[in-house]
């Protein structure tokens, strides 16, 4: 049985936030917005990160990748993978 849409969204958002806060202290992050949509089996993740660091764009990209990977693992755990 596939996970519920709400579980997919929550898993992705938690993974993205977790990645960001594994790289930065909360006090270093001026703003973080993680938007996750999961409709008709399609996952869309957007991460906006405002932090004083030249690598912030890369960290935001890594957060999106972490979210996607976490959702892949979720489906694999629930037997939804091939």
């Amino acid at each position: 049985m596939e996970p519920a849409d709400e579980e997919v969204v929550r898993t992705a958002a938690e993974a993205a936030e977790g990645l960001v806060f594994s790289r930065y202290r909360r006090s270093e992050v001026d703003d973080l917005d993680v938007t996750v949509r999961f409709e008709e089996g399609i996952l869309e993740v957007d991460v906006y990160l405002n932090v004083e660091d030249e690598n912030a764009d890369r960290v935001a990209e890594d957060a999106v990748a972490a979210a996607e990977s976490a959702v892949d693992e979720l489906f694999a755990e629930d037997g939804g993978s091939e």
Side-chain angles (χ1 to χ4, degrees):
M1 185 171 163
E2 291 189 355
D5 291 359
E6 295 82 15
E7 184 179 6
V8 171
V9 169
R10 183 177 55 254
T11 297
E14 288 174 357
E17 289 179 7
L19 183 284
V20 169
F21 291 120
S22 75
R23 308 267 177 97
Y24 301 111
R25 290 187 310 263
R26 290 188 182 271
S27 61
E28 294 177 301
V29 177
D30 295 322
D31 191 17
L32 173 63
D33 183 36
V34 177
T35 304
V36 180
R37 289 176 294 285
F38 184 69
E39 297 175 359
E40 298 180 18
I42 298 173
L43 178 68
E44 294 182 30
V45 181
D46 295 310
V47 176
Y48 168 77
L49 176 60
N50 183 358
V51 63
E52 293 293 326
D53 180 22
E54 64 187 37
N55 297 314
D57 288 341
R58 180 65 197 174
V59 173
E61 291 172 8
D62 290 349
V64 170
E68 292 169 346
S69 179
V71 169
D72 287 345
E73 289 178 23
L74 178 66
F75 275 91
E77 289 172 5
D78 284 345
S81 67
E82 301 166 340

